[in-house]
Amino acid sequence: MANLKDLKTRINSVKSTQKITSAMKMVAAAKLRRAQESAEANRPYSFRMQQVISGLASKAIKATAPELLIGREIVQTHLLIVVSADKGLCGGFNGSIARQTRLEIKRLEKEGKSVLLYMIGKKAADNLRRDIKDKIFGRVENLQGSDLDYNKVDTVSQEILTGFNDIYFDQVSIIYNQFVNAITQNVVSKPLIPVQLNDDKEDTGASNYEYEPDENELLEQLLPRNITTQIYSALLESFAAELAARMTAMDNATRNAGDMIDSLTLVYNRTRQANITKELIEIISGAEAL
Amino acid sequence: MADAIKLEIVTPSRMLFSDSVEMVVIPGSEGEFGVLPRHAPTLANLQRGALNVYNNGTVTRRFLIEGGVADVLPERVIVLAERAVDLDAVSTQNLDEQLVNATEAEAAFVNAAKEAV
């Protein structure tokens, strides 16, 4: 039978764990609101940018259009940008990113392409360490929350553009967690180079646009910017999703700790009662023997 | 009242301005151009410069913007700017604070904003 002192220690340790998890949940919830706001504030910009590019792309002359838009004919190497969190304790958040990345790598290699990776955030890189050690193109950490700003993302995208221009890779896509709501996050994989065009939309009257300067020059200016914008918005989404995932995970942990405390307390009380009963029996039978 | 055109100034971090205005002068890379209601549809690249909003014939709001594109339609203008500040809402002091941990490109922009304020 478990002894009382051990049980007491056990209960206390679970209680302090519960305090930590519930504090973490609270912190995540508070931060989530801000992160969600900034992710939503960015949506008009990235949405408009996408619209403008699609409009332009439909006008651009195919033969002279920049490679960033239409891609290269022969694709040998594919760069995956993997966005994960710097911290753990957020449920399946980092795990699902790592799993998706593994799948993508397998798929691309089956198509006969080689894969390079650009890791943003610490956790997925740690998780995938063994699969990827010879595939790393670049790696950054501390690019989330208050540390995230447009200029830093711009440095990352410059690095990627230089890599593209030097033909280290011919295609780029980004894998990240998209924030849907506080309980749902979706892992998405989105192509960046070549640009994915949504041609389902009827652009009204866009055909008589005047361009200043001409289409191709505009595209050359806009496409690199679009890359930065897309990465930036992926990072904002991912951070909001991370906080949401952490909030849910910590909520579960707090509840589990509560259950555990209940059942441990029950055992503790039973044991205590059993001890008392045993002592009573000893006294009574001792008295009877006299 | 004269015709009005809807102006939106959007940066990656937020919507800076969204209202109907009489005229707006935009710093395009090929030169400044004014936009009145019923302007021909235009897509223009931007350079760093002042964006002035006119109402009743005078400048009512001033912004400094950098990098991006302006999407002009007869009834609305959307300015997608990489960086933008509202020159009426910032002080030199604010801008000095921003300078502290600014990258090179950002610092150039903030300094230009300081001159314009």
Side-chain angles (χ1 to χ4, degrees):
Chain A
M1 191 183 289
N3 99 37
L4 279 183
K5 193 158 173 274
D6 288 349
L7 275 173
K8 195 75 202 162
T9 334
R10 186 92 193 279
I11 292 173
N12 282 335
S13 97
V14 177
K15 270 188 183 153
S16 49
T17 308
Q18 189 189 32
K19 268 187 203 140
I20 295 169
T21 56
S22 88
M24 281 183 78
K25 178 194 151 197
M26 239 88 100
V27 171
K31 281 187 182 165
L32 172 64
R33 200 166 317 136
R34 262 240 305 286
Q36 192 180 346
E37 271 163 21
S38 50
E40 274 160 13
N42 171 265
R43 278 185 195 153
Y45 188 85
S46 51
F47 178 70
R48 296 275 186 228
M49 185 65 111
Q50 200 88 53
Q51 247 183 351
V52 167
I53 300 245
S54 307
L56 261 177
S58 58
K59 307 290 168 326
I61 306 124
K62 278 280 171 289
T64 56
E67 282 177 333
L68 282 179
L69 179 69
I70 50 168
R72 297 208 170 101
E73 257 173 56
I74 304 154
V75 178
Q76 285 182 324
T77 311
H78 188 108
L79 179 76
L80 286 173
I81 306 172
V82 180
V83 184
S84 69
D86 281 343
K87 293 180 201 143
L89 289 180
C90 42
F93 182 87
N94 292 313
S96 48
I97 285 287
R99 186 167 351 104
Q100 181 70 21
T101 309
R102 257 188 218 111
L103 285 178
E104 284 285 300
I105 293 177
K106 224 172 258 167
R107 187 179 63 81
L108 289 163
E109 280 176 347
K110 208 173 259 174
E111 286 171 17
K113 297 169 188 165
S114 56
V115 180
L116 282 173
L117 293 153
Y118 196 102
M119 310 298 292
I120 300 178
K122 198 166 160 216
K123 282 291 166 181
D126 290 351
N127 192 322
L128 291 166
R129 193 174 38 223
R130 231 171 309 152
D131 308 62
I132 61 171
K133 56 174 180 286
D134 49 343
K135 298 196 177 85
I136 297 277
F137 174 72
R139 194 174 166 171
V140 279
E141 284 167 19
N142 289 329
L143 205 63
Q144 51 174 224
S146 49
D147 289 328
L148 171 62
D149 71 56
Y150 194 77
N151 295 300
K152 283 189 193 160
V153 179
D154 205 37
T155 348
V156 172
S157 82
Q158 287 315 322
E159 220 176 298
I160 290 167
L161 286 169
T162 318
F164 181 77
N165 291 332
D166 296 347
I167 324 197
Y168 281 114
F169 42 84
D170 314 288
Q171 264 184 347
V172 180
S173 62
I174 183 165
I175 299 179
Y176 66 101
N177 269 295
Q178 192 178 36
F179 176 81
V180 184
N181 56 40
I183 35 175
T184 325
Q185 301 92 38
N186 277 342
V187 180
V188 280
S189 157
K190 193 157 105 183
L192 287 182
I193 305 173
V195 176
Q196 188 185 34
L197 299 171
N198 37 343
D199 37 21
D200 47 10
K201 246 181 260 126
E202 282 287 318
D203 36 355
T204 44
S207 46
N208 45 20
Y209 257 108
E210 278 170 30
Y211 295 99
E212 207 179 303
D214 66 56
E215 286 93 328
N216 279 351
E217 212 171 307
L218 249 179
L219 270 176
E220 255 157 52
Q221 302 263 2
L222 274 180
L223 288 168
R225 264 190 207 133
N226 183 44
I227 305 273
T228 315
T229 309
Q230 299 302 331
I231 297 175
Y232 183 67
S233 82
L235 284 173
L236 286 173
E237 293 274 344
S238 162
F239 188 56
E242 178 197 336
L243 291 172
R246 179 164 301 129
M247 198 178 82
T248 325
M250 288 300 115
D251 188 41
N252 282 335
T254 310
R255 206 168 318 129
N256 289 344
D259 291 347
M260 203 158 165
I261 289 171
D262 285 349
S263 64
L264 281 174
T265 313
L266 189 68
V267 176
Y268 176 80
N269 287 339
R270 273 195 193 137
T271 317
R272 192 185 46 145
Q273 193 56 54
N275 280 348
I276 293 171
T277 316
K278 201 178 80 195
E279 276 165 26
L280 274 177
I281 291 170
E282 274 164 12
I283 292 168
I284 292 166
S285 43
E288 270 170 4
L290 280 174
Chain B
M1 162 136 190
D3 269 352
I5 185 162
K6 184 141 177 54
L7 170 68
E8 279 179 10
I9 302 176
V10 196
T11 70
S13 50
R14 67 205 174 104
M15 183 89 101
L16 196 63
F17 180 87
S18 171
D19 204 357
S20 287
V21 302
E22 199 177 274
M23 180 173 94
V24 52
V25 175
I26 297 172
S29 61
E30 318 279 285
E32 289 200 340
F33 62 97
V35 177
L36 284 160
R38 292 194 292 279
H39 191 282
T42 305
L43 205 58
N45 205 2
L46 303 177
Q47 63 174 7
R48 186 195 300 157
L51 183 147
N52 291 327
V53 176
Y54 286 77
N55 276 312
N56 299 322
T58 54
V59 178
T60 52
R61 293 288 287 274
R62 297 181 310 140
F63 297 89
L64 188 78
I65 59 171
E66 176 172 274
V69 64
D71 182 6
V72 182
L73 283 178
E75 69 288 344
R76 60 139 183 84
V77 188
I78 293 166
V79 176
L80 295 173
E82 242 168 46
R83 292 181 247 281
V85 284
D86 185 341
L87 290 180
D88 301 320
V90 293
S91 62
T92 357
Q93 207 183 350
N94 279 324
L95 292 169
D96 276 334
E97 280 164 22
Q98 283 183 38
L99 266 182
V100 176
N101 37 21
T103 59
E104 218 167 282
E106 206 181 352
F109 178 71
V110 176
N111 280 325
K114 261 165 77 178
E115 269 168 42
V117 165

